[in-house]
Amino acid sequence: MPQQSSRAVGLAWLGLLVASLFWAGNALVARAFHDAIPPFTLAFWRWSLALAILLPFVARPMWEHRSQLRRAGWRLLLVAALGISTFSVLLYFAARTTVAINLTLLNTCLPLATFIGAGVLLNEWPPRRAWLGLVVATVGLLVLIAQGRLAQLAALSFNPGDLIMLVAVLDWALYTLLLRRWSHYFQFPPLVLLGALVLCGVPLLLPFYLLELASGQTFERSVDNLAAIVYTGICASLLAYLLWNQGIRVLGVAKAVLTNYLMPVFTALLGYLLLGEGLQAYHWFGGALIFAGLLLATRPSLR
């Protein structure tokens, strides 16, 4: 039994790493296509595609769990509104009106907001070692943002899009915390939970998508645009959310949320692999600090 538990924990960590990688790619897509695909359009078709893929696999299990789903009721709807509908739209709106470096900086608020929220809502205050790991990982992230130069931090400027991203970060923190707080209402197989969330979230997006269409905002059905929707629908939606929800269930909020610090590291690696952007010394130093912070915050106590 301990071996099986250890295996489950290891798979949960691996899943969270893969989810962060997929979301790093989602951030690149959001920045690259913010002029080509309107935000509500991208969010709606992203989740509609995810729902179309999910339904054949989850329709029957969802019907079998219909009594538990009814019991979850408004809680399920609220969590879907936060994590499926609202967060996606806020992220895509923020990508239209702010620069990438500010998006990354504001992501540093997520673990802190979740740490505090876990204490207030769940009575799960992280140990001192976790707070120290949080500080070390934050320093590593700031090294990446500043590109190894303090003057770069002083030169940062902010605009209204940064406020949108800050709201998105708080929205995601609340989604994560409520998913954990109401976990006894969500005792379904992982695919059933994700299917129920997406089934609740897509109709919430539909009216805003139609309003966007009525205002004349649409997108060209090009190969690149369709590929962006397919990536966000499968990798950044289906797979990433499934892995994230399972990580929250197995590891808890305080540990799982720290993997968000890896997103800028993965973004730098993807920029190197896909865009030919060189990796500098500050990438390696900042990434090493982030990994050190994660190890410090999550390793078991020695007794």
Side-chain angles (χ1 to χ4, degrees), residues 114-232:
T114 309
F115 269 37
I116 296 173
V120 173
L121 294 179
L122 309 178
N123 198 27
E124 295 179 2
W125 291 102
R128 293 179 181 177
R129 186 182 65 255
W131 288 99
L132 180 58
L134 176 77
V135 172
V136 173
T138 301
V139 171
L141 189 55
L142 292 175
V143 168
L144 290 179
I145 294 170
Q147 299 179 359
R149 301 190 302 272
L150 288 177
Q152 183 79 5
L153 285 179
L156 286 175
S157 60
F158 297 91
N159 59 59
D162 300 321
L163 179 60
I164 297 176
M165 188 59 200
L166 181 59
V167 174
V169 167
L170 297 176
D171 172 274
W172 184 257
L174 185 58
Y175 162 78
T176 300
L177 292 166
L178 292 180
L179 199 65
R180 177 71 170 181
R181 180 179 176 85
W182 293 333
S183 59
H184 57 286
Y185 288 100
F186 302 149
Q187 294 300 313
F188 323 117
L191 273 179
V192 171
L193 175 59
L194 183 59
L197 290 173
V198 178
L199 190 60
C200 291
V202 170
L204 296 175
L205 286 168
L206 179 59
F208 300 98
Y209 166 61
L210 294 177
L211 285 174
E212 200 170 61
L213 280 182
S215 68
Q217 299 183 63
T218 183
F219 71 101
E220 181 186 353
R221 274 63 170 176
S222 66
V223 173
D224 289 344
N225 289 344
L226 294 177
I229 292 174
V230 169
Y231 173 83
T232 57

Side-chain angles (χ1 to χ4, degrees), residues 2-102:
Q3 184 178 2
Q4 182 181 359
S5 177
S6 176
R7 182 172 180 269
V9 169
L11 289 175
W13 278 119
L14 178 61
L16 289 171
L17 295 179
V18 174
S20 294
L21 176 62
F22 286 154
W23 282 329
N26 186 44
L28 291 177
V29 169
R31 293 197 299 269
F33 290 86
H34 71 272
D35 286 330
I37 309 177
F40 281 114
T41 299
L42 180 54
F44 175 77
W45 284 113
R46 163 191 177 178
W47 286 111
S48 295
L49 174 62
L51 182 61
I53 296 173
L54 266 177
L55 273 182
F57 300 98
V58 302
R60 183 173 178 178
M62 284 176 64
W63 177 253
E64 294 171 350
H65 289 83
R66 60 189 181 279
S67 59
Q68 295 98 312
L69 290 170
R70 280 197 299 267
R71 180 170 171 262
W74 63 269
R75 296 172 182 85
L76 190 67
L77 186 63
L78 177 57
V79 171
L82 290 170
I84 303 297
S85 308
T86 307
F87 179 78
S88 302
V89 172
L90 288 173
L91 173 64
Y92 296 144
F93 267 107
R96 301 180 87 184
T97 54
T98 192
V99 294
I101 193 170
N102 289 19

